Amino acid sequence: MPTGGQILVAALRSQAVDRIYCVPGESYLPVLDALYDTPEIAVVSARHEGAAANMAEADGKLTGRPGVCFVTRGPGATHASIGVHTAFQGSTPMVLFIGQVARHSRDREGFQEVDFRAMFAPLAKWAAEIDDATRIPEYIARAFQTAISGRPGPVVLSLPEDMLSAVVSTASQIRPVVAASATARAQDLQQLAEMLQLASRPLLVVGGSGWSVEGLDALRDFAHRNSLPLLASFRRQDLVDNRHENYCGYLGLGVDPNLAERVKSADLIVSVGSRLSENTTSGYSLLIPPRPQQTLVHVYPDPNEIGHVYQPALGIACGLSDFGRALSDVTIAENPQRSRWLKDARTAYVKFSSPPSAPAGHLDLSAVVGWLSGHLKDDAIVANGAGNYTVWVHRYFRYRQFRTELAPVSGAMGYGVPAAIAAKLRYPEREVVAFAGDGCFLMYPQEIGTAVQHKANLVIIVVNNGIYGTIRMHQERRYPGRVMATDIHNPDFLALAQSFGAYAERIDNTQAFPPAYERAVAAARPAVLELRVDPAQLTPTFRLET
Ligand SMILES: Cc1ncc(C[n+]2csc(CCOP(=O)(O)OP(=O)(O)O)c2C)c(N)n1
């Protein structure tokens, strides 16, 4: 007769789970033991639960199916919480399993005991504890369904260790979960068409998760047929091919001031899938809540999000891909003013995203990112964490395919390297590049060990300026000259990478980058390229006077 651990692993297989990320713990040994007999599930044991959770989050982002992570109670779960938060803000399907104290120790503050339902209540879509091994399949079905439905997101399940070792006689079978989707009503589509018809300065803002290639293609074709500019919301730049003539840039940190003005002066904004978050709206200043001056149409998969911050003129609760497809029935008459508005916006985007012809300093990050943008294959995956270095990445890299951008909407440092490792494991044949600032990289440098162990041959680009540049920038703006806590004493990044068995090179001038990148790829093992950049150049446009 099976144990709880075996039932759990069988239930994961029923959901086609083929890889889990973990740091092992004695609290869930029966699960690890069941995995021993389940070769269909690859087990990737990371060095830090924060990294393991970020890996699972990235896997969820890349596949649209819940990424799965296992960690131990108190210390493991608190580490892993960062990935849950990132999945929540990024609307990424994910399930975090936590080994918990035995039921007989509960509520005595047993060893490493935490009430995970309470702890994860504001971080996850749903947090529960499984008390009865016979009900494991039911909880798994609900967890996976919740993670992919409506606005996707993370679910947390806590597993008392004696429940996992309990032997049970019956367990129900479950089938793979399928997301149900609402569709747009004909009258709403009609009203949208009328509003678009009246607009001469409309913008479509594309964002969120739960998209499919077909839905995005249909949305792009709709924009193309009707001369509508498409903008990406914060860190959703891979939803539209950036080379397409209707793509006019992205909102968020490092937004083109020109584009920000355009958003302010738009007469109609149709947000498809974007919450219109704080970063997308430049701190709620491009659209002012609760009733923006631009006419707003808000399309979102969860009706509870509509009206949450902004009162739209028209709200449509609808699955995103279904909405994209429904637009194939919507056509509006030509309007020369609208066509000019699109042309101007596109011209401004191309200018903004082209690296300057005269490189700045010895090592110009815009030239490096521009080179990668021109040389990586269309399906290459580019990951990043948080820091000012990301401003160059978002500005000068032109994403071409859906699910090629792994970037934390949550702004969590340390995301890029673990996310890129997960990407390389999911798609070993594709090029994967992780950008990290020196601060960002030092959150999880030990995961190079995980990459070497699992032959995840990614290229990590460490943008080393010796400071927590973002915070220094804010300091210099608000408290000039009063530097506090923003210098970093760095290790020898090459020696660090090499000690794990990775390939490593240091680069201090722009011309040296392309051949070094080629050597890093040819090394056929994980590689670290350390870029020595000028700390005074805090953003592409903000330079400290020294
Ligand atoms: C986990 C986490 N801790 C702290 C912060 C606050 N923070 C945002 S950017 C940043 C500095 C990033 O430094 P670095 O990676 O070196 O990149 P740079 O800004 O210098 O380009 C900090 C500390 C954060 N976003 N995430």
Side-chain angles (χ1 to χ4, degrees):
M1 286 194 294
T3 63
Q6 288 167 326
I7 293 170
L8 179 65
V9 170
L12 293 179
R13 278 304 299 148
S14 78
Q15 300 307 312
V17 170
D18 61 0
R19 178 173 289 110
I20 65 160
Y21 291 96
C22 71
V23 172
E26 71 275 28
S27 54
Y28 65 94
L29 285 176
V31 176
L32 293 173
D33 190 61
L35 288 165
Y36 186 86
D37 296 320
T38 314
E40 301 89 344
I41 300 182
V43 178
V44 179
S45 183
R47 310 295 181 261
H48 188 297
E49 291 86 353
N54 280 324
M55 290 172 188
E57 197 276 352
D59 201 37
K61 207 174 240 157
L62 287 172
T63 62
R65 302 288 298 174
V68 176
C69 184
F70 276 82
V71 298
T72 198
R73 44 211 174 185
T78 45
H79 273 171
S81 61
I82 192 167
V84 178
H85 180 247
T86 290
F88 193 86
Q89 291 232 298
S91 310
T92 304
M94 170 179 174
V95 183
L96 173 71
F97 292 94
I98 305 169
Q100 172 65 305
V101 296
R103 287 167 289 187
H104 56 77
S105 298
R106 212 164 34 197
D107 297 328
R108 292 175 167 169
E109 199 192 328
F111 181 54
Q112 304 179 337
E113 181 185 0
V114 174
D115 177 351
F116 295 114
R117 284 177 286 217
M119 174 182 160
F120 283 100
L123 290 180
K125 277 186 87 177
W126 182 49
E129 190 158 285
I130 309 182
D131 242 359
D132 174 356
T134 61
R135 292 184 62 192
I136 289 172
E138 173 193 337
Y139 276 84
I140 296 292
R142 179 166 164 197
F144 277 68
Q145 190 73 52
T146 304
I148 61 168
S149 297
R151 175 186 176 189
V155 169
V156 174
L157 288 179
S158 153
L159 313 165
E161 60 175 281
D162 61 322
M163 184 282 294
L164 290 175
S165 50
V167 172
V168 291
S169 52
T170 56
S172 30
Q173 301 291 316
I174 50 171
R175 59 171 96 178
V177 299
V178 178
S181 169
T183 51
R185 296 180 299 185
Q187 71 213 57
D188 291 338
L189 292 170
Q190 175 66 33
Q191 196 182 338
L192 171 65
E194 286 162 15
M195 291 164 104
L196 283 166
Q197 193 68 69
L198 290 174
S200 44
R201 297 183 310 283
L203 294 171
L204 295 184
V205 180
V206 192
S209 90
W211 282 102
S212 66
V213 175
E214 300 72 40
L216 286 167
D217 285 354
L219 179 74
R220 182 205 54 212
D221 293 347
F222 169 75
H224 190 59
R225 275 200 316 280
N226 299 299
S227 304
L228 299 167
L230 282 165
L231 306 183
S233 68
F234 180 51
R235 296 192 162 158
R236 302 289 189 192
Q237 289 168 241
D238 61 347
L239 292 180
V240 184
D241 184 341
N242 297 181
R243 296 167 304 185
H244 194 271
E245 60 195 274
N246 287 70
Y247 180 75
C248 297
Y250 58 91
L251 302 175
L253 303 176
V255 62
D256 177 5
N258 208 296
L259 182 60
E261 282 312 310
R262 224 171 276 279
V263 175
K264 284 188 190 162
S265 66
D267 57 2
L268 174 68
I269 292 184
V270 183
S271 173
V272 191
S274 167
R275 286 192 301 126
L276 299 171
S277 67
E278 179 171 357
N279 281 334
T280 294
T281 60
S282 300
Y284 306 107
S285 69
L286 304 184
L287 288 90
I288 298 174
R291 217 164 152 204
Q293 65 174 35
Q294 307 93 326
T295 304
L296 175 64
V297 177
H298 203 172
V299 183
Y300 204 79
D302 178 353
N304 294 316
E305 189 57 41
I306 297 170
H308 186 164
V309 179
Y310 293 107
Q311 284 196 301
L314 172 63
I316 303 177
C318 179
L320 299 180
S321 286
D322 286 301
F323 183 76
R325 281 189 285 264
L327 290 174
S328 43
D329 301 330
V330 179
T331 302
I332 51 178
E334 266 179 52
N335 173 341
Q337 258 182 305
R338 207 168 59 225
S339 306
R340 198 164 335 109
W341 163 255
L342 165 64
K343 203 159 157 262
D344 290 350
R346 173 71 192 168
T347 305
Y349 164 70
V350 172
K351 183 158 177 263
F352 178 74
S353 59
S354 305
S357 43
H362 290 300
L363 204 166
D364 183 5
L365 196 49
S366 42
V368 167
V369 176
W371 185 84
L372 283 170
S373 187
H375 286 81
L376 292 187
K377 297 200 183 80
D378 287 357
D379 68 355
I381 295 170
V382 176
N384 62 264
N388 269 15
Y389 70 92
T390 66
V391 174
W392 278 269
V393 179
H394 297 327
R395 177 164 175 176
Y396 298 115
F397 195 84
R398 296 196 178 141
Y399 300 84
R400 272 97 71 182
Q401 268 188 27
F402 181 40
R403 291 180 176 156
T404 54
E405 178 179 26
L406 287 175
V409 173
S410 65
M413 287 168 74
Y415 177 80
V417 170
I421 293 171
K424 193 68 189 177
L425 291 176
R426 178 59 59 194
Y427 299 114
E429 71 293 352
R430 288 165 68 175
E431 268 174 295
V432 177
V433 175
F435 276 93
D438 44 345
C440 200
F441 176 70
L442 286 172
M443 295 259 154
Y444 304 119
Q446 70 279 41
E447 298 306 328
I448 296 176
T450 310
V452 170
Q453 185 175 345
H454 292 272
K455 300 190 173 44
N457 297 340
L458 75 168
V459 178
I460 300 169
I461 298 176
V462 179
V463 183
N464 181 5
N465 58 3
I467 54 173
Y468 289 121
T470 310
I471 313 306
R472 174 69 58 84
M473 174 187 72
H474 291 300
Q475 249 166 14
E476 292 295 339
R477 284 185 175 152
R478 292 189 40 201
Y479 305 100
R482 292 168 63 84
V483 175
M484 174 49 61
T486 48
D487 284 328
I488 313 176
H489 173 79
N490 277 324
D492 177 338
F493 288 113
L494 269 53
L496 177 71
Q498 285 158 351
S499 72
F500 284 106
Y503 178 82
E505 274 196 56
R506 182 171 294 129
I507 295 151
D508 60 10
N509 69 84
T510 310
Q511 295 70 24
F513 181 78
Y517 179 81
E518 304 293 3
R519 285 192 293 273
V521 173
R525 56 197 156 112
V528 171
L529 296 178
E530 177 195 352
L531 308 190
R532 282 284 174 96
V533 298
D534 180 357
Q537 196 70 47
L538 283 167
T539 74
T541 50
F542 180 33
R543 195 178 165 77
L544 269 185
E545 296 308 328
T546 44

